[in-house]
Amino acid sequence: QLQLQESGPGLVKPSETLSLTCTVSGASISSPSHYWGWIRQPPGKGPEWIGSMFYSESPYYNPSLKSRVTISVDTSQNQVSLKLSSVIAADTAVYYCARRLIGWGAFDVWGLGTKVTISS
Amino acid sequence: DIVLTQSPGTLSLSPGEGATLSCRASQSINSNYFAWYQQKPGQAPRLLISSASRRATGIPDRFSGSGSGTDFILTISRLEPEDFAVYYCHQYGSSPWTFGQGTQVEVK
């Protein structure tokens, strides 16, 4: 059964870098059929797409975050990672990793999410 | 960016009633890249509909999606107790991929 599990610190100080990892079990991150992505959801708001990547291609990012975001995959660990630099309070959110089928597929499998608070 | 505006913000209904949720896009969308999600408190969004009208695996047939261009509809034919939740629309055909602000379906 496919599972995605996000992990990382729940509290990050302003101006520092937020680093999260998504561990995928039950499927290979090197699948030729899927993208892997990060989505966040600030408290009380709708989701916001951060970025996505296919395991063998360059990632693509939301332009509003592009200057601060890095998404990468580690095929040996079957993990997808997210780094968001120079964080501010507005980056406080629940961060989700999710899988999307290539072509017309939407994000069909999501992790449980991890809450990240930006505060000193 | 394509802005998705959902209406109404809140829908107050009783179990057994039908629900119609609307999502309007700021510009035309390829309907192949349009989806609806359901989210309950403390849970991740759950895919209901992709490609505007294709039900995801395991989604009951009381959920149906329709629309094209800038106007999309999610219909729940008869509300079950487990359907009271927040619903989001989502377009993933034009970067940046965007979500609506949500419609809450609450018990009247």
Side-chain angles (χ1 to χ4, degrees):
Chain A
Q1 181 182 357
L2 175 62
Q3 289 188 325
L4 284 65
Q5 178 68 60
E6 304 88 349
S7 59
L11 181 64
V12 180
K13 290 182 169 56
S15 80
E16 294 188 344
T17 296
L18 178 164
S19 296
L20 299 176
T21 299
C22 173
T23 301
V24 178
S25 57
S28 172
I29 208 154
S30 304
S31 165
S33 303
H34 297 99
Y35 293 102
W36 305 91
W38 287 93
I39 299 114
R40 69 181 183 180
Q41 188 169 25
K45 295 187 178 181
E48 178 185 30
W49 172 68
I50 299 171
S52 298
M53 74 177 295
F54 188 69
Y55 79 99
S56 60
E57 297 178 353
S58 297
Y60 45 104
Y61 304 125
N62 188 323
S64 69
L65 298 169
K66 186 175 182 179
S67 64
R68 300 194 290 134
V69 172
T70 303
I71 293 175
S72 59
V73 298
D74 182 338
T75 54
S76 67
Q77 298 293 320
N78 221 36
Q79 293 176 332
V80 188
S81 296
L82 168 70
K83 292 188 187 302
L84 181 65
S85 64
S86 304
V87 296
I88 60 175
D91 294 316
T92 293
V94 176
Y95 285 75
Y96 297 98
C97 64
R99 181 190 80 167
R100 187 201 140 180
L101 185 66
I102 62 173
W104 299 338
F107 288 113
D108 62 342
V109 180
W110 295 58
L112 297 177
T114 187
K115 183 176 179 180
V116 179
T117 300
I118 309 302
S119 176
S120 54
Chain B
D1 297 11
I2 295 178
V3 176
L4 300 178
T5 302
Q6 294 186 239
S7 61
T10 302
L11 205 47
S12 299
L13 296 166
S14 301
E17 291 191 292
T20 301
L21 285 67
S22 173
C23 181
R24 175 162 288 178
S26 59
Q27 56 188 277
S28 185
I29 292 172
N30 181 333
S31 60
N32 289 317
Y33 300 99
F34 185 87
W36 289 96
Y37 291 87
Q38 177 194 69
Q39 188 176 34
K40 296 179 180 178
Q43 296 185 15
R46 172 195 182 198
L47 179 65
L48 297 176
I49 302 283
S50 63
S51 298
S53 60
R54 177 179 294 183
R55 271 190 302 277
T57 302
I59 301 304
D61 61 8
R62 63 180 181 273
F63 291 92
S64 63
S66 63
S68 63
T70 60
D71 292 294
F72 296 84
I73 298 288
L74 174 69
T75 302
I76 310 172
S77 59
R78 293 174 311 280
L79 284 163
E80 297 287 342
E82 62 268 26
D83 299 337
F84 291 92
V86 179
Y87 293 83
Y88 293 100
C89 57
H90 169 51
Q91 69 81 21
Y92 48 103
S94 177
S95 182
W97 303 345
T98 51
F99 292 82
Q101 84 282 12
T103 289
Q104 180 165 4
V105 178
E106 65 176 21
V107 178
K108 187 175 181 180

